[in-house]
Amino acid sequence: IAVNKEDFEAFCRGFACNKSIEELKINCSHLYDGEIFDRLSPFFEQNSNFRSLRVSGGWGKSSTRLLSVSLSRFNTLREFECYGIKLDDGDMEMIIGSLVGHSGITELDFGENRGIKVRGMAALAALLSNPNSSVTDLDLSMCDLDDENVAILAPALARCYTLRKLRLAQNGDITGTGWMTIFTQLQSPQSLLEHLDLWDNDIDNDAAMLLADVMANSNQMKILNLSECNIATAGWRAVFDALQSPRCKLQELDLNSNDLSWGFFGR
């Protein structure tokens, strides 16, 4: 739907005066080159009830800068989603930097942003490692993460004492080495992760055995998604053996769309 400038400005003026809306979804971030973020700054700054910002859709050339400036002008967010925007590394670094002041933020969703590299991941790791971090839910699904990315992220996973849910679905560039790095950190007694989503990834035997060790010894892990995972026989057997551990507290295990035959269960 085409939106002329006059209607766009009238909407922004009216919306900016609201002080009761708690959640806002913006699927037109490209409008007038991201100007919507600048025009809605009074709403962000003056509405103390505002808690959740979800951004998706098109992205103008100035959208990152204008969004970052707006985010830095208030501190009430609890949930932030920037899904499928195609953020590049500099975009990610800038937006994460502007979220630092939102110390009460619990949910971060950067799913399907395939341009996150070293700088963006370093900024995210620093945010998670901050002693004041309140993040409980982190989504990095479909981000084309690789071993270099996870080597930066993994230590922060153990240092973020509030993190309970981690989604890493469909990150096929992470090799066994990367998964070993992540699962090693989850072995830490400091890790309190309860929900791990690994849907549609390649996890080799060594990494699967390390994951099984996490399952067998974690008092916290409750939900594990291994649907559509490429794991060989030895890895699956380690996973199934872990379920027998008296220390295993798993409550939900998703094995959907895996080619498991009776051969996996035989001895």
Side-chain angles (χ1 to χ4, degrees), residues 128 138 153-161 163 166 182 185-186 191:
L128 295 173
L138 175 63
L153 174 66
L157 299 179
R159 289 196 290 266
C160 187
Y161 306 130
L163 190 64
L166 176 63
I182 292 174
Q185 293 298 329
L186 297 184
S191 173

Side-chain angles (χ1 to χ4, degrees), residues 142-179:
M142 295 180 284
C143 286
D144 288 346
L145 302 184
D146 57 23
D147 292 352
E148 184 177 22
N149 294 144
V150 299
I152 298 170
L153 174 66
L157 299 179
R159 289 196 290 266
C160 187
Y161 306 130
T162 58
L163 190 64
R164 298 295 183 270
K165 184 175 183 179
L166 176 63
R167 288 172 283 186
L168 295 172
Q170 290 189 303
N171 280 293
D173 290 335
I174 303 177
T175 71
T177 299
W179 291 120

Side-chain angles (χ1 to χ4, degrees), residues 4 23 31 53 56 65 74 91 104 135 144 153 216 223 225:
N4 63 48
E23 179 176 346
L31 277 181
L53 177 60
S56 60
R65 179 180 59 81
F74 70 108
D91 291 336
V135 176
D144 288 346
L153 174 66
I223 302 172
N225 187 348

Side-chain angles (χ1 to χ4, degrees), residues 152-221:
I152 298 170
L153 174 66
L157 299 179
R159 289 196 290 266
C160 187
Y161 306 130
T162 58
L163 190 64
R164 298 295 183 270
K165 184 175 183 179
L166 176 63
R167 288 172 283 186
L168 295 172
Q170 290 189 303
N171 280 293
D173 290 335
I174 303 177
T175 71
T177 299
W179 291 120
M180 292 278 284
T181 302
I182 292 174
F183 300 152
T184 297
Q185 293 298 329
L186 297 184
Q187 285 183 312
S188 168
Q190 296 175 324
S191 173
L192 299 177
L193 199 70
E194 298 176 354
H195 185 161
L196 179 60
D197 185 350
L198 302 176
W199 168 54
D200 195 13
N201 282 299
D202 295 330
I203 302 174
D204 67 15
N205 280 330
D206 289 340
M209 290 176 184
L210 190 55
L211 174 61
D213 187 66
V214 174
M215 294 169 55
N217 294 287
S218 173
N219 290 320
Q220 299 295 325
M221 187 74 69

Side-chain angles (χ1 to χ4, degrees), residues 120-134:
M121 192 57 68
L124 177 58
L127 177 65
L128 295 173
S129 299
N130 189 312
N132 295 321
S133 173
S134 301

Side-chain angles (χ1 to χ4, degrees), residues 51-53 71 75-81 99-110 127-128 132-137 160 162:
R51 295 291 184 268
S52 175
L53 177 60
L71 288 172
N75 60 8
T76 62
L77 277 185
R78 298 295 181 268
E79 301 173 356
F80 179 74
E81 176 183 300
L99 289 171
V100 170
H102 298 263
S103 58
I105 201 162
T106 60
E107 179 183 324
L108 286 175
D109 186 344
F110 290 103
L127 177 65
L128 295 173
N132 295 321
S133 173
S134 301
V135 176
T136 62
D137 186 338
C160 187
T162 58

